[in-house]
Amino acid sequence: MEATAYPTAASEAGKPHAGIEFYRLLTGCAPAEADISADDDFDRHVLASILAAAVMDGGSIAERAGLSAQELNDLLIGCFPSAMVRAFTWIPESTSETDDETIMVRDLLLAQRSTEGDVGRWLAAMVARRAMEPNHLWEDLGLRERPELSRLLLRHFAPLATRNTRNMRWKRFFYRMLCEDDGFVMCTTPVCTQCNDFDLCFGEENGESRMAERRREFLRGSGDHVDAARSA
């Protein structure tokens, strides 16, 4: 199967939901059924979730996930060897270059790794790329809830994650760390509670995951399709 482009959001009525089906293809179960009690299983869940979120965005999965085609292929072989899916390494690389902002976040994460091996390196690139998307970071990573993101960062990037002592939103926290490391002052007020943008940095990040939301929309669309057929 060529891992390059898949339908965005919900598929046509009566067909599987692209993101959830891709996750199932990789792991053998739906995201809601994933057992993440063991660290290795958690890592596989995170990687599958990010790739499924990239699938839902459409276009090149590798680019949307922040990896090269070779890195994606290595990830699939190493972490999902039984899945009948591979990224063809002969597919031409995207001509678009990684932007400076993504590189800065990736390098920040790489410098603060707390695990060895390819998974942490892949995740640094994947988290940095998905941080460029507009939603909460845990949503754009395809995770089920924000605590999964906190667990991911504490597991693989502990020196960085433990500095977030006030539970700041992770995207905001990344940029704050980048500014502080470079000697810049990001905020206009010295105390967060006095800042007009307090809710942007510390507001709630609860809600429905992207895959759950897309599945609900998909099921609703399928129901409308059936109702229309019955009334025809």
Side-chain angles (χ1 to χ4, degrees), residues 18-223:
I20 292 176
E21 288 306 306
F22 192 76
Y23 182 100
R24 190 191 303 274
L25 180 65
L26 294 177
T27 67
C29 69
E33 301 166 354
D35 180 1
I36 60 173
S37 53
D39 284 340
D40 287 346
D41 291 335
F42 175 69
D43 287 347
R44 282 167 47 86
H45 163 68
V46 169
L47 292 169
S49 297
I50 298 173
L51 293 179
V55 164
M56 289 193 295
D57 284 351
S60 166
I61 296 177
E63 189 281 323
R64 292 287 185 174
L67 302 173
S68 68
Q70 183 62 60
E71 288 173 327
L72 175 58
N73 202 54
D74 292 342
L75 185 159
L76 293 170
I77 293 171
C79 298
F80 307 102
S82 61
M84 299 300 293
V85 58
R86 291 291 179 268
F88 293 159
T89 55
W90 49 260
I91 295 173
E93 294 281 349
S94 173
T95 56
S96 61
E97 296 183 357
T98 304
D99 64 84
D100 291 343
E101 193 173 349
T102 302
I103 293 173
M104 290 172 64
V105 176
R106 182 199 64 196
D107 290 348
L108 172 71
L109 292 168
L110 286 173
Q112 301 286 327
R113 286 181 59 185
S114 50
T115 57
E116 298 181 356
D118 289 330
V119 172
R121 179 173 57 81
W122 291 331
L123 283 172
M126 297 169 88
V127 170
R129 170 61 183 84
R130 300 305 296 175
M132 301 302 110
E133 298 299 321
N135 305 300
H136 295 312
L137 182 54
W138 68 269
E139 293 178 310
D140 283 321
L141 291 172
L143 301 176
R144 297 177 294 190
E145 56 183 354
R146 187 178 189 264
E148 290 187 348
L149 172 57
S150 298
R151 178 179 172 182
L152 155 65
L153 296 173
L154 285 167
R155 170 164 161 70
H156 289 283
F157 311 100
L160 177 67
T162 53
R163 294 168 69 182
N164 189 6
T165 57
R166 300 189 61 186
N167 200 31
M168 178 179 283
R169 293 184 181 185
W170 286 110
K171 283 187 185 181
R172 290 272 171 165
F173 177 74
F174 291 163
Y175 293 118
R176 186 184 186 107
M177 292 300 99
L178 287 171
C179 289
E180 289 185 1
D181 288 346
D182 286 340
F184 296 115
V185 177
M186 181 181 71
C187 303
T188 57
T189 55
V191 181
C192 289
T193 53
Q194 299 176 0
C195 179
N196 292 331
D197 291 330
F198 181 87
D199 289 341
L200 293 177
C201 295
F202 295 95
E204 289 293 326
E205 291 187 275
N206 299 324
E208 192 174 32
S209 70
R210 283 189 65 201
M211 279 196 278
E213 180 184 6
R214 296 296 190 272
R215 177 170 175 77
R216 177 171 51 79
E217 293 173 354
F218 164 67
L219 292 174
R220 179 191 300 154
S222 297

